[in-house]
């Protein structure tokens, strides 16, 4: 069931801000319920000034330098592959507006994971060249995020193409933050601050809190130990449980052994 | 290296130590410290700066449990004071349960162990008005609590300034077997050592001594009867 959403999220110029922390990008605080989320990339970009292969590399760096670095989060974003999408993803608007809310365009629903596509719609999506990208979790069931769509401004005059490589990486990373369920942060340290900052190399504490809140790590029995290969999961978890049991058993043996020890020591002096 | 390998090493270590144990003794200690979380790994301004030190006071309590020569076992509990996130509407609270093995060398104690870092993040709900592109929108805030639990590896060194006073630095390694999300925190603390408290030793001794006396008293009577 697709719910109505808050207005789409944009990345533009500096405006005065209030002092708040991380927020959500949807009304129900939805998050993906899998630890690994695949990020697929459409092969429809033509005005970004980079090749599809460059774009893939930039996205990989956005994953590995930002969201996949959080020690306390179980979320792992995995770069998928180049895909060919319907032309609607390149031309149509992200959402049909109803009042202040946004009703996702049913032609652009992402069935699972995150899809990154270029888009040239200037009447609704990119009304200004300074808008670099827009993101909407457009497939939510209850509080579970099923799919998110990230659109990059591909108008001929887009400003994305003029950005440095590190800025492109942080722009994509910011939009990916929206795609996993985070809203904006008005704190300048944060990647989820609503606009670009002079130098952006890492996540800030507010980003870390946000992704940890939505995707908390639960080691050793939870998903924290799960690596990229799904088939290993059961085996890994079972062996960890077994080893933990042996560990606590050995502690029990120690404590029982020690309980008797003072008796022996003092019997000699008695 | 996978986490389960650490469990194996730890198990072998503890199981073998039970057979080698020769001495016993307790030391209850408590301390205050400061935890620097992920120094150098988090951006702290809009110019890309990072910080090697963060302020996060901790309270600590632990037991040093001698089990073989200069080796001891140290179960510990560390608590951070409840704090706000960068947003006063977000609350954060951390605690650590740790178990380490320590080796005493002169006035130094070197430790290696494992534990859990548990973090609770809570929000008060509601929405907040934030800039969003060319306009301002209401963004929902977290309205529940979320708890994350990390298995951590601990490495530390402690120096005894006085018999009952020591300083210690511990490094906590998160996801040590991973490449991307491996992280380090360090905790600097000052401890007061209460030593071998009655609570842990003498009461138990007295009980056992009483039992032993009772047994000794019974034995001669039995012998007389049998004769
Ligand atoms: Zn944004």
């Amino acid at each position: 069931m697709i719910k109505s959403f808050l207005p789409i999220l944009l990345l533009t110029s500096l405006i005065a801000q209030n002092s708040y922390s991380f927020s959500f990008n949807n009304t129900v605080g939805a998050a993906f319920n899998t630890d690994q989320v695949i990020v697929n990339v459409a092969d429809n970009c033509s005005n970004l000034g980079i090749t599809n292969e460059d774009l893939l590399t930039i996205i990989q760096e956005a994953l590995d330098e930002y969201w996949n670095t959080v020690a306390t989060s179980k979320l792992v974003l995995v770069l998928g592959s180049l895909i060919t999408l319907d032309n609607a993803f390149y031309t149509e608007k992200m959402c049909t507006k109803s009042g202040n809310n946004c009703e996702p365009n049913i032609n652009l629903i992402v069935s699972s994971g995150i899809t990154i596509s270029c888009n040239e719609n200037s009447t609704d999506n990119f009304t200004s060249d300074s808008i670099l990208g827009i993101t909407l979790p457009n497939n939510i069931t209850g509080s579970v995020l099923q799919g998110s769509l990230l659109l990059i401004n591909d108008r001929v005059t887009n400003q994305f193409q003029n950005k440095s490589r590190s800025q492109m990486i942080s722009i994509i990373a910011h939009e990916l933050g929206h795609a996993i369920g985070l809203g904006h942060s008005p704190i300048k340290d944060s990647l989820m601050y609503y606009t670009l900052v002079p130098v952006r190399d890492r996540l800030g504490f507010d980003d870390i809190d946000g992704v940890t809140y939505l995707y908390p790590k639960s080691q050793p029995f939870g998903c924290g130990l799960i690596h990229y290969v799904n088939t290993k999961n059961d085996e890994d978890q079972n062996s960890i449980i077994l080893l933990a049991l042996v560990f606590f058993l050995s502690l029990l043996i120690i404590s029982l052994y020690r309980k008797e020890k003072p008796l022996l020591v003092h019997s000699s002096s008695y | 290296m996978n986490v389960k390998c650490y469990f194996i090493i730890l198990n072998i270590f503890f199981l073998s130590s039970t057979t080698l144990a020769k001495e016993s003794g307790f030391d209850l200690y408590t301390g205050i410290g400061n935890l620097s979380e992920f120094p150098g790994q988090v951006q702290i301004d809009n110019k890309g700066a990072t910080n090697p030190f963060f302020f996060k006071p901790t309270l600590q309590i632990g037991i040093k449990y001698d089990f073989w020569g200069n080796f001891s076992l140290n179960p510990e509990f560390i608590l951070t004071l409840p704090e706000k996130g960068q947003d006063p509407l977000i609350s954060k609270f951390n605690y650590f349960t740790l178990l380490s093995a320590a080796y005493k060398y002169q006035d130094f104690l070197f430790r290696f162990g494992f534990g859990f870092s548990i973090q609770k993040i809570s929000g008060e709900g509601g929405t907040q008005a934030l800039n969003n592109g060319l306009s301002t929108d209401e963004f929902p805030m977290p309205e529940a609590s979320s708890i994350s639990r990390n298995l951590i590896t601990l490495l530390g060194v402690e120096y005894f300034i006085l018999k009952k006073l020591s300083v210690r630095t511990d490094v906590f390694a998160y996801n040590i077997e991973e490449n991307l999300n491996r992280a380090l925190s360090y905790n600097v603390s000052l401890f007061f050592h209460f030593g071998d408290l009655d609570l842990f030793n003498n009461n138990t001794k007295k009980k056992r001594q009483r039992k032993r006396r009772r047994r000794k008293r019974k034995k001669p009577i039995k012998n007389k009867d049998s004769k």
Side-chain angles (χ1 to χ4, degrees), chain A residues 14 28 38 61 81 144 184 187 189 192 205 209 237 263:
Chain A
L14 188 77
V28 288
I38 307 294
E61 288 180 43
S81 52
V144 176
H184 276 159
I187 295 161
D189 310 356
M192 296 315 291
F205 273 116
D209 288 347
Q237 285 193 16
L263 185 73

Side-chain angles (χ1 to χ4, degrees), chain A residues 28-92:
Chain A
V28 288
F32 288 101
N33 66 351
T34 54
D35 302 337
Q36 289 179 50
V37 176
I38 307 294
V39 181
N40 286 312
V41 186
D43 59 0
N44 57 8
C45 300
S46 49
N47 297 312
L48 300 185
I50 51 174
T51 64
N52 283 333
E53 285 66 35
D54 286 340
L55 181 61
L56 281 176
T57 311
I58 284 169
I59 293 167
Q60 181 71 66
E61 288 180 43
L63 305 180
D64 291 349
E65 290 175 15
Y66 291 93
W67 298 112
N68 289 346
T69 66
V70 182
T72 48
S73 163
K74 65 183 179 182
L75 180 68
V76 178
L77 295 175
V78 181
L79 182 63
S81 52
L82 271 181
I83 54 172
T84 301
L85 293 172
D86 190 278
N87 197 44
F89 282 86
Y90 192 73
T91 57
E92 292 193 12

Side-chain angles (χ1 to χ4, degrees), chain A residues 9-10 174-175 178 184:
Chain A
L9 299 149
L10 314 170
H174 173 100
E175 295 304 323
H178 290 317
H184 276 159

Side-chain angles (χ1 to χ4, degrees), chain B residues 189-227:
Chain B
S189 26
L190 178 72
F191 288 103
F192 180 80
H193 298 260
F194 295 98
D196 197 350
L197 282 187
D198 191 55
L199 176 69
F200 294 103
N201 207 353
N202 290 350
N203 284 341
T204 328
K205 272 185 218 165
K206 281 172 190 168
K207 276 181 195 169
R208 284 172 179 158
Q209 284 165 357
R210 273 199 295 272
K211 271 187 186 174
R212 212 176 305 116
R213 275 188 217 122
R214 255 180 265 140
R215 262 187 246 141
K216 280 195 172 182
R217 263 186 237 125
K218 280 178 187 173
K219 261 194 172 178
I221 296 165
K222 262 192 175 178
N223 289 342
K224 271 182 185 176
D225 287 347
S226 67
K227 277 180 182 175

Side-chain angles (χ1 to χ4, degrees), chain A residues 20-21 217 219 258-259, chain B residues 24 65 87 128 149 208:
Chain A
Y20 291 105
S21 185
K217 197 132 185 160
Q219 288 179 325
R258 300 311 308 156
K259 216 175 170 184
Chain B
S24 67
Y65 186 25
D87 175 2
Q128 56 180 304
R149 186 182 67 236
R208 284 172 179 158

Side-chain angles (χ1 to χ4, degrees), chain A residues 53-214:
Chain A
E53 285 66 35
D54 286 340
L55 181 61
L56 281 176
T57 311
I58 284 169
I59 293 167
Q60 181 71 66
E61 288 180 43
L63 305 180
D64 291 349
E65 290 175 15
Y66 291 93
W67 298 112
N68 289 346
T69 66
V70 182
T72 48
S73 163
K74 65 183 179 182
L75 180 68
V76 178
L77 295 175
V78 181
L79 182 63
S81 52
L82 271 181
I83 54 172
T84 301
L85 293 172
D86 190 278
N87 197 44
F89 282 86
Y90 192 73
T91 57
E92 292 193 12
K93 55 187 174 185
M94 180 72 102
C95 52
T96 54
K97 283 186 177 158
S98 59
N100 278 334
N101 287 333
C102 158
E103 205 65 48
N105 180 344
I106 54 166
N107 296 329
L108 308 185
I109 298 299
V110 176
S111 58
S112 70
I114 297 168
T115 295
I116 298 177
S117 170
C118 275
N119 185 284
E120 61 161 9
N121 184 306
S122 59
T123 50
D124 295 285
N125 294 342
F126 301 106
T127 52
S128 160
D129 284 328
S130 63
I131 300 173
L132 305 169
I134 57 175
T135 304
L136 183 72
N138 67 7
N139 185 357
I140 296 181
T141 308
S143 62
V144 176
L145 191 47
Q146 309 285 355
S148 286
L149 178 61
L150 190 167
L151 298 178
I152 303 171
N153 187 342
D154 199 43
R155 291 170 59 182
V156 176
T157 50
N158 78 76
Q159 290 183 14
F160 185 89
Q161 61 190 321
N162 304 324
K163 302 297 177 191
S164 68
R165 183 183 168 82
S166 67
Q167 283 177 321
M168 286 181 178
I169 292 168
S170 67
I171 290 163
I172 298 286
H174 173 100
E175 295 304 323
L176 284 166
H178 290 317
I180 60 175
L182 291 173
H184 276 159
S185 167
I187 295 161
K188 288 182 184 177
D189 310 356
S190 308
L191 173 69
M192 296 315 291
Y193 189 56
Y194 66 95
T195 187
L196 289 173
V197 297
V199 181
R200 167 62 58 193
D201 291 329
R202 297 172 174 85
L203 293 177
F205 273 116
D206 200 38
D207 304 316
I208 293 171
D209 288 347
V211 71
T212 301
Y213 182 92
L214 285 178

